Structures are given as structure tokens and as C-alpha cells.
Amino acid sequence: MKRNRLFQQTRRQLATWFVVVMISIIIICEISLDRTLTRAHQLHLDRELTSTANTIHNGFSNVLDIPGELNLSAIDLLPDLCPYSDRCYETDGFELLPVEVIYKVEYYVRLLDKEGEPIAIAGKRIKSLPIDSSNSQWLDLLDDDGYPYRQTSLELHTKDQEVWGYLQVGRSVEEMREYLGIVRRVLILGFPFAATLIGIGAWWLVGKAMMPIYLSYRQIQQFTADAAHELRTPLAAIRATVESTLMRPTLNEISTRSTLETISRQNQRLSKIVSDLMILSRLDRQLSGWNTFALDELVVLNDLVNDIAEEFAALAIANNLQLRLQNEVAQPLEVVGNSEQLYRMVSNLVINAINYTPAEGTVTIMLKATRSEAAIEVRDTGIGIAKPEQKRIFNRFYRVNSDRSRQTGGSGLGLAIAMAIVQAHKGSIEVISKLGEGSAFIVKLPRLEND
Ligand code: ADP
């Protein structure tokens, strides 16, 4: 495949598309993951803030009595509540009270009067954090150092339901920002690595997926070349014969007859090749799912082998061979398929057996059966096939000994056709052979279930 430019180009294009699609999917997934994580953290944080703010709000609402003024009970609620002045920020921090969760997670609490002026602060004291007097329910703030905070505001009421002012509760979200930053960094840094792996994987996968197409393309190329070669031989013979005849000054009846006989012979050969090619092409289409043959006939194999034995008896005698029929099945052995094609398949095996068995030899057609399969075996005592050749003889146009095969009229398509017919019938074909001793071709077909 590496040397074929068309396939290399297609492979490159497919791999590029694969990488583009995969990278787009990864980018979409990474953005969604980032958004989902951020949203989930924000929701969790808001829920926590709401719950803390509500607890403090409820505490204050029960003790406040004059709008904008803090009484002792209110000051007792938050132990480090500092009436608002610059001094609140002068202390080196404050003592953490273990019972108060708000101090552990960097919360701050601010109390504002109705006009939005600060009255007191507690918790984490950040001087540079702006005081928002609009009291929006949710707010994201930054201190002077760029650290982020999230804040919620609630309206405070006195015991008599008068508006007292506002409660602002906020906390640092630096921890969340850092965590999301790490996740983002991992996603961004991992991206080139993932893209490289996708690129390598895409190249390998596309190559693997294209391999069967490439092999089939090579087979078609080989097949076309072989077919052209096979057709060229009789055509060249006809041309040479005609030209040599035309070069003679006069034509007598004997030479004319001889020329015509040669032409007729070569014509027959051409017709045989063309009809074999047409059968193969129909079988190929059948195997690719087109219904070129009806495969629903009930074929009784006993009758089929009887007819074949009868048909080839004369040919066997002419070749000084014994043709035997050995039927080991008493009952009619039925398979579902196409009788014409099955007849052609067994005929091809029997013709080969007769052609490749020297005089005085024997060709036996056997019929056997197991519970699920019917087997037709064509045995001969002929020349046999060497082990390495046994795998190749089913290839199109393959002949072990092309000269001998040509003498017998063979073009190397007989076994390829037999194989395609067996495959169309969902069966199998195998050869057992020993050079100089003979061959056995065994065809197994699925049997029609009678019970
Ligand atoms: P061909 O038309 O040349 O016989 P086939 O496809 O039928 O082509 O067979 C392919 C080759 O297999 C033949 O050329 C022959 O060499 C070998 N072959 C097939 N059947 C037999 C057999 N029964 N005994 C020995 N050789 C065989």
C-alpha cells in the first residue's frame, strides 16, 4: 500500500479528517468539563454561603431592636464583631474560634445600615475589599491583590419587623480558583499529547481499515491482467493462423479447412473463458449480497451425482479411465440451493479428476452425510498436487502446470468457480492430495433439516 499513491493520499486524507473530528470532540468535551466543574463548584459554594448567611441572619433578627444600632445581645452573637472603624483592620488577625465554622473557611461578615454605611465587621478582615452599598443578592469581588471573593447580602430586620440594615456574608474563592486552574492546566497540557496519540492512532487505524480494500483492489488488478493475458493467447493464435493463410498465394480446401478448424478451436477456448468469467462475475455479485442466482431450490444430491456420473461416463471411457459412483446414503440427501450451479461445481471437479488422471486410473464420486452436513467427494488416482500448490489452485487463473492445463482446455478458472459456488451455498471445499498418488476434493454443504 505504501507504494500506491492513490491509497497513500486517501490514507492521509482519512487520517487527517479523523484527527480533526477527534480533536474537535476533545475540545468540546474539555470545554464542557471545565464549565460543568466551575458551575458545580459555584453551586456548592453558593449553597454553603446561603446556609451560613441564613444562620447568622436568623440570629440577628431575634435580637436587633433599633435600626442601624447594635445592642449587646447582637455583639455576643459573633464574638469578634468589631464596630466599624479603621482599627478593625489594625489587629494582626483574630483568634479562631473552633466552634464557628465561618472562621475556618475565610468567611467575612459585614453589617451595613439602611443607607449602606458599614456598622460592624467580623471574620476575615480585608481592608482592600470594596464595600458594596447596593446590597445586590450575589456579588463577585476582587481585593487589591486580585484575590476573588463571593458575597451574598440579606436584609436585616428588628424584632418589630422594621428594616435594620443589611447583612453581607462572603468568602474567599481562591481555593476553588486554584483547583480549577490546575484542572485547566492538566487539560491544556494533556492536549498536545492526546492530539499526537490520536494522530498516530488515526494513521494506524485508517491503514488497517484500508488494507482489505487495498488487497481487493490488487486482486482486481491481478485478475484483469490475468484475464487479458488469457484472452490474448487464443486471439494471437487466430491472428497468426489467419495471417499465415492469407500470405499463401492460393488456398486449397485442405489448408482452408485446417485454418478454419484452428479458428474454431481458439474460438471455443475464447467462448469458454468468457462464459467462465461471466459466471464468476455473477457469483461475485451473489457473494456481495446481490441475488443473481435463486438459492432456494430443493436439490436432491443423490440424483445430481447420478446424472453427473452418467454424463461423464463416455468421457472417462474415452480417456481409458474407470468412473465409479459410491453412494453411502440410502435416503435422499437434500440441500437448499441452486441445482444448476451445484451441477456445475461437481462437474468441474469431475472434469479435473478425469483430465489429471492418467489412463487406467480411477475416478470416484462419493456421497456421504452427517447429521448436519452433506459431503460430495471426488477422488482420483491421478497426478496429485504438491502441498505448496494446494493453497493456490483455487485462485483465479492459477494452474499448476500451465502447458498441461492448456492442453486439457483449462484456463485456471474451474476451481475458482467451484469455490465461489460452494461459498454461495455456505459450504466448504478442501483438497487432500499427494503428488503422484492422486487427489480428493471434498465439498461439504449444510443439510436441509428434516425434523
Ligand atoms: P483448469 O481449468 O486449468 O483445470 P482449475 O481451476 O480447474 O483450472 O484447476 C487449477 C489447477 O489445479 C489445474 O491447473 C491443475 O493443475 C490443478 N488440479 C485441479 N484438479 C486437479 C486434480 N484432480 N488432480 C491434479 N491437479 C488438479
Side-chain angles (χ1 to χ4, degrees):
M1 190 155 69
K2 278 182 194 145
R3 269 180 279 139
N4 188 305
R5 270 197 22 224
L6 175 70
F7 275 80
Q8 277 303 92
Q9 201 181 337
T10 313
R11 188 180 185 183
R12 224 173 294 131
Q13 278 173 354
L14 281 175
T16 310
W17 275 110
F18 187 87
V19 170
V20 169
V21 171
M22 286 307 286
I23 285 182
S24 310
I25 292 173
I26 287 188
I27 290 175
I28 292 169
C29 287
E30 286 194 355
I31 292 173
S32 312
L33 180 72
D34 182 65
R35 295 256 162 93
T36 313
L37 272 179
T38 311
R39 188 82 198 109
H41 271 80
Q42 213 161 37
L43 277 176
H44 174 73
L45 201 105
D46 287 358
R47 225 172 284 141
E48 222 176 77
L49 261 178
T50 309
S51 144
T52 310
N54 281 340
T55 311
I56 299 171
H57 176 269
N58 292 347
F60 277 118
S61 296
N62 291 331
V63 293
L64 295 172
D65 30 42
I66 304 166
E69 276 185 31
L70 283 170
N71 55 28
L72 279 175
S73 319
I75 292 172
D76 280 351
L77 273 176
L78 292 176
D80 74 328
L81 195 70
C82 172
Y84 191 74
S85 73
D86 276 352
R87 287 188 55 214
C88 293
Y89 301 110
E90 280 168 14
T91 49
D92 286 343
F94 44 90
E95 289 220 355
L96 288 178
L97 298 177
V99 282
E100 297 291 346
V101 68
I102 62 165
Y103 300 112
K104 288 184 198 162
V105 283
E106 302 206 310
Y107 274 85
Y108 62 81
V109 177
R110 286 163 170 172
L111 294 172
L112 276 69
D113 64 13
K114 280 191 277 185
E115 282 73 41
E117 290 303 318
I119 290 180
I121 60 171
K124 186 171 174 156
R125 294 163 199 194
I126 319 116
K127 196 172 182 186
S128 62
L129 196 67
I131 293 173
D132 166 63
S133 44
S134 68
N135 287 302
S136 332
Q137 197 191 354
W138 288 105
L139 206 65
D140 290 307
L141 301 165
L142 285 178
D143 68 11
D144 281 357
D145 298 324
Y147 288 111
Y149 292 84
R150 179 116 173 117
Q151 175 186 291
T152 180
S153 290
L154 294 173
E155 207 173 56
L156 275 175
H157 296 95
T158 63
K159 282 190 270 185
D160 307 328
Q161 296 306 313
E162 256 188 279
V163 177
W164 182 91
Y166 295 95
L167 164 74
Q168 291 184 338
V169 181
R171 61 160 291 178
S172 160
V173 289
E174 177 59 16
E175 204 183 307
M176 175 182 114
R177 196 171 74 161
E178 264 176 22
Y179 171 75
L180 291 175
I182 292 172
V183 172
R184 254 169 232 158
R185 242 169 284 143
V186 169
L187 292 180
I188 291 168
L189 289 179
F191 184 75
F193 181 66
T196 313
L197 281 185
I198 289 173
I200 296 169
W203 185 252
W204 180 76
L205 272 178
V206 170
K208 220 170 159 43
M210 280 174 69
M211 198 41 111
I213 305 169
Y214 179 68
L215 289 179
S216 135
Y217 170 81
R218 283 270 308 272
Q219 263 176 9
I220 293 169
Q221 270 189 331
Q222 185 64 43
F223 180 72
T224 316
D226 289 345
H229 179 78
E230 280 305 317
L231 292 171
R232 203 182 56 181
T233 314
L235 283 173
I238 291 173
R239 202 171 130 194
T241 313
V242 171
E243 277 175 3
S244 68
T245 309
L246 287 174
M247 272 160 66
R248 288 186 192 163
T250 52
L251 290 176
N252 58 30
E253 200 199 321
I254 300 169
S255 61
T256 309
R257 190 170 286 280
S258 150
T259 304
L260 290 176
E261 273 166 8
T262 308
I263 292 173
S264 165
R265 222 178 21 253
Q266 296 302 341
N267 194 301
Q268 269 175 23
R269 198 169 146 65
L270 276 175
S271 304
K272 169 91 172 68
I273 295 173
V274 170
S275 80
D276 279 356
L277 284 174
M278 282 171 72
I279 292 163
L280 260 181
S281 131
R282 277 180 76 191
L283 283 163
D284 278 346
R285 274 185 286 147
Q286 177 82 26
L287 288 171
S288 339
W290 298 77
N291 255 354
T292 47
F293 296 112
L295 286 168
D296 52 4
E297 283 172 52
L298 199 63
V299 186
V300 182
L301 293 181
N302 314 52
D303 297 345
L304 187 132
V305 290
N306 276 336
D307 290 352
I308 289 175
E310 245 173 60
E311 185 184 332
F312 291 102
L315 184 67
I317 292 166
N319 282 273
N320 198 8
L321 297 172
Q322 209 187 339
L323 179 63
R324 283 204 232 141
L325 178 62
Q326 197 173 313
N327 188 349
E328 295 180 10
V329 192
Q331 306 291 323
L333 189 53
E334 292 169 331
V335 295
V336 177
N338 184 298
S339 59
E340 192 190 326
Q341 297 307 327
L342 287 174
Y343 195 93
R344 188 192 308 277
M345 181 263 297
V346 183
S347 300
N348 282 359
L349 298 182
V350 174
I351 292 171
N352 276 348
I354 293 174
N355 282 340
Y356 299 106
T357 303
E360 314 276 311
T362 309
V363 173
T364 314
I365 307 170
M366 292 160 98
L367 193 61
K368 298 177 181 175
T370 64
R371 253 186 83 80
S372 58
E373 279 178 331
I376 302 169
E377 206 172 306
V378 180
R379 275 180 185 276
D380 64 58
T381 55
I383 57 171
I385 307 156
K387 196 95 196 149
E389 308 283 2
Q390 289 175 18
K391 283 183 213 138
R392 299 194 210 133
I393 51 171
F394 294 97
N395 292 349
R396 291 165 189 198
F397 293 112
Y398 187 81
R399 287 171 301 204
V400 177
N401 180 339
S402 49
D403 286 346
R404 188 195 158 106
S405 180
R406 228 176 240 129
Q407 275 167 26
T408 59
S411 58
L413 289 174
L415 286 180
I417 291 175
M419 167 84 109
I421 294 173
V422 171
Q423 281 173 346
H425 285 80
K426 303 204 170 9
S428 65
I429 182 165
E430 62 172 316
V431 58
I432 301 169
S433 183
K434 208 161 178 202
L435 210 55
E437 288 185 18
S439 314
F441 285 83
I442 304 155
V443 174
K444 289 179 184 160
L445 298 169
R447 240 181 114 170
L448 178 72
E449 311 265 338
N450 281 322
D451 35 20

